[in-house]
Amino acid sequence: MKASAVWWWLLAVSLCVAGSAAGQRDQSGPFIERFDVREWRLTATVTILSGRQMSSSLFHLNNQPMSWISAGRSTLEFPVEEGTLYWPLAGEAASYEVDRGSARAKLHSNGWEIPLSRTIWDADASQQPLHSGAAYGIWSFGPYPAVHRDLRMEFSFRANTWNTRFNEALALEVPWPSGEWPAEAMSSFDEMLFIDRDFFGPYTSGVARELAEKYTAGQPRSQPPVVAAKWIAGQLATEVQASGLSVFRSGIFPIKDLSRIRADHMQSLRFDGLDRVARDLTGSPLDFALLLTAIYREIGLPARVVIGYVAGPNGGREELFRDPQKPEFGIYPWVEFALYDERESAIGGSLTWIPVDIISMQQNNTGRRPFDQPWDGFGSSEFLGEVIPLAYHLHPHMLPAYSFGQSPDPLTLADGRVIYEPLPALWGWNLVPAMPCGAGQAVTFTATTPSRRSNDANTATDR
């Protein structure tokens, strides 16, 4: 059956399913029911490392490498007068709710804790939502003139997570909006790092556009948004193989057997790029999520990547030395697309972010199951309740943030220079008078179950 014929057949299937559930509405929400709530406090520790032979790259959002330096052995002694730290904060969606007000940070240097002042940034100068509804904890310090030899940062926040059950039949009744999407959903169409461009410039291959045309026969709006989203996810899950991890683990700890480095030691996020994934039909789980997000955006469906940390019994601190080839531990990405029911005029329309766990879908061969049946991972999940959301972007979006992430494999440029590709690691900072060079980084995560004091909703002692 040709793609165009299959595409139109899907519409008939979706109408039959939708008609059987007209009028049903779950009390937990119009499309998503939450269950099995879990409460967490997540702490991310960033350690700036030195004293080894390395090449270092510093970079920032505006796609210009700050410097390429073969540093040799560095003592990492550098003057700092003041600075700013950036850590991403997710929001609220089907499987989670982040308490942004609970965000805390600490900065340790030379054996001392440096005082910080905090701002939560979640809207632009026009009070419009940031890209994809993101937010950032921003901590500033200084003036604090000192020569620093070691640096360690800790970022923490509270979050609740749930498993989800998707009312797909009800969601199928929602048509494409006749007008604009809500501001938070619309913002996801703005230029996004590592989907539209990298640190060096824009992508020009149009891979996502070609796949969107292929999967929808060039007529994505001939189907309801949920049909389009489900069909594309199923097709991608059967064509592209996700393998390995979404991180480069830090190999710069003094451990002889690097295979026993804890799974949550991250040097930088790992992805090969949309072009390579589309060409080779394989990539990291993060590549998989980035590609699906890009295709959704190409058909006009707002979508965002969610980067989370597996905190429950399937990964994280519970299993320190798990098989490193299993993707469902440590850093874990998935995708959310926006479903907007503008018929809910009494409340200004209803915007719901629907999770698509494309990795679970592939592992369970979900995309090969009958289309008119529920698919585990598409809206419904008994796994995402164990995953704490970290960010909607790989690098602080539209912030002058620098980091020390880099690919472990060198690149040879046309002029013969050998460099290491700069890669993001969620966080960033900016220092005055200058950034240090010749340093590396390691990011580790700890998820604990907090217990609240009755008189302080934002205070916790970790068990």
Side-chain angles (χ1 to χ4, degrees):
M1 188 180 293
K2 293 183 178 180
S4 58
V6 172
W7 188 242
W8 284 104
W9 170 81
L10 289 174
L11 180 58
V13 171
S14 66
L15 291 176
C16 290
V17 174
S20 65
Q24 296 180 12
R25 188 170 295 269
D26 190 274
Q27 294 300 314
S28 299
F31 311 115
I32 297 288
E33 178 187 357
R34 295 169 163 179
F35 61 97
D36 291 345
V37 62
R38 296 172 173 88
E39 184 183 12
W40 309 98
R41 174 171 284 278
L42 185 133
T43 300
T45 302
V46 180
T47 305
I48 305 301
L49 302 159
S50 63
R52 69 185 186 98
Q53 188 75 22
M54 64 177 294
S55 294
S56 176
S57 58
L58 301 179
F59 56 89
H60 59 83
L61 176 76
N62 294 325
N63 317 305
Q64 297 297 323
M66 181 179 175
S67 60
W68 299 106
I69 298 175
S70 296
R73 292 194 176 275
S74 168
T75 59
L76 192 63
E77 293 185 357
F78 57 97
V80 174
E81 297 176 3
E82 55 187 305
T84 306
L85 317 177
Y86 306 100
W87 185 261
L89 297 168
E92 179 180 3
S95 65
Y96 59 84
E97 180 180 19
V98 171
D99 180 1
R100 292 172 171 173
S102 70
R104 303 287 184 267
K106 295 180 180 179
L107 174 61
H108 299 271
S109 175
N110 303 340
W112 297 90
E113 182 175 338
I114 300 175
L116 300 171
S117 61
R118 187 199 72 175
T119 301
I120 301 296
W121 187 50
D122 61 3
D124 63 17
S126 302
Q127 297 304 305
Q128 294 298 306
L130 301 184
H131 194 296
S132 300
Y136 294 92
I138 301 176
W139 291 269
S140 300
F141 67 91
Y144 187 85
V147 175
H148 298 267
R149 296 176 179 83
D150 58 355
L151 283 165
R152 187 179 80 256
M153 290 156 269
E154 294 180 4
F155 304 95
S156 66
F157 61 89
R158 288 179 172 275
N160 292 331
T161 61
W162 297 266
N163 290 326
T164 60
R165 189 173 293 115
F166 184 39
N167 191 331
E168 185 173 328
L170 187 63
L172 284 167
E173 299 179 8
V174 179
W176 291 87
S178 59
E180 287 192 350
W181 297 87
E184 181 176 291
M186 279 293 296
S187 67
S188 70
F189 292 123
D190 293 342
E191 187 177 72
M192 183 173 173
L193 202 57
F194 305 114
I195 286 184
D196 300 301
R197 65 183 303 145
D198 60 17
F199 288 124
F200 299 102
Y203 299 141
T204 59
S205 67
V207 166
R209 187 176 305 110
E210 293 173 4
L211 289 174
E213 174 77 19
K214 169 186 172 182
Y215 292 151
T216 66
Q219 301 183 67
R221 285 182 174 254
S222 64
Q223 313 291 341
V226 168
V227 174
K230 186 175 183 180
W231 175 253
I232 290 170
Q235 293 297 296
L236 194 64
T238 58
E239 291 188 7
V240 178
Q241 179 64 44
S243 61
L245 305 179
S246 294
V247 303
F248 286 118
R249 291 188 300 168
S250 179
I252 51 184
F253 292 91
I255 302 175
K256 292 183 179 179
D257 181 6
L258 296 183
S259 67
R260 292 184 63 81
I261 292 175
R262 216 171 68 197
D264 55 356
H265 282 169
M266 178 179 75
Q267 199 272 339
S268 58
L269 295 170
R270 175 199 159 214
F271 51 97
D272 296 320
L274 304 189
D275 289 352
R276 183 183 179 280
V277 175
R279 182 187 71 241
D280 299 342
L281 298 181
T282 186
S284 75
L286 185 54
D287 281 309
F288 212 177
L290 287 167
L291 183 56
L292 179 60
T293 301
I295 297 171
Y296 280 167
R297 293 163 81 236
E298 281 295 333
I299 70 167
L301 186 64
R304 62 190 182 190
V305 175
V306 188
I307 303 168
Y309 174 73
V310 181
N314 286 329
R317 295 281 292 184
E318 298 296 326
E319 301 178 63
L320 301 186
F321 306 116
R322 257 190 110 191
D323 180 355
Q325 295 308 308
K326 292 184 178 180
E328 70 280 10
F329 84 110
I331 294 294
Y332 190 85
W334 70 99
V335 177
E336 292 173 342
F337 70 88
L339 187 62
Y340 177 53
D341 190 353
E342 60 185 351
R343 299 170 301 177
E344 298 283 350
S345 57
I347 57 173
S350 173
L351 175 65
T352 306
W353 289 98
I354 307 298
V356 183
D357 185 355
I358 191 72
I359 307 305
S360 291
M361 287 179 60
Q362 184 178 77
Q363 291 174 339
N364 298 323
N365 289 319
T366 299
R368 300 184 184 277
R369 298 177 185 176
F371 187 82
D372 58 352
Q373 294 181 8
W375 288 359
D376 294 338
F378 186 84
S380 298
S381 174
E382 295 188 10
F383 172 68
L384 290 181
E386 299 170 356
V387 188
I388 303 171
L390 298 173
Y392 301 138
H393 298 86
L394 284 62
H395 183 75
H397 187 71
M398 296 302 293
L399 287 169
Y402 299 77
S403 181
F404 297 99
Q406 66 181 30
S407 168
D409 301 318
L411 298 175
T412 301
L413 301 182
D415 59 7
R417 286 184 300 157
V418 177
I419 67 171
Y420 286 82
E421 181 184 7
L423 294 175
L426 302 177
W427 78 289
W429 66 353
N430 212 325
L431 302 179
V432 174
M435 299 291 298
C437 297
Q441 69 183 18
V443 185
T444 62
F445 300 92
T446 302
T448 56
T449 303
S451 58
R452 296 182 184 275
R453 294 203 307 245
S454 60
N455 62 344
D456 187 354
N458 283 328
T459 301
T461 56
D462 294 332
R463 291 201 293 261

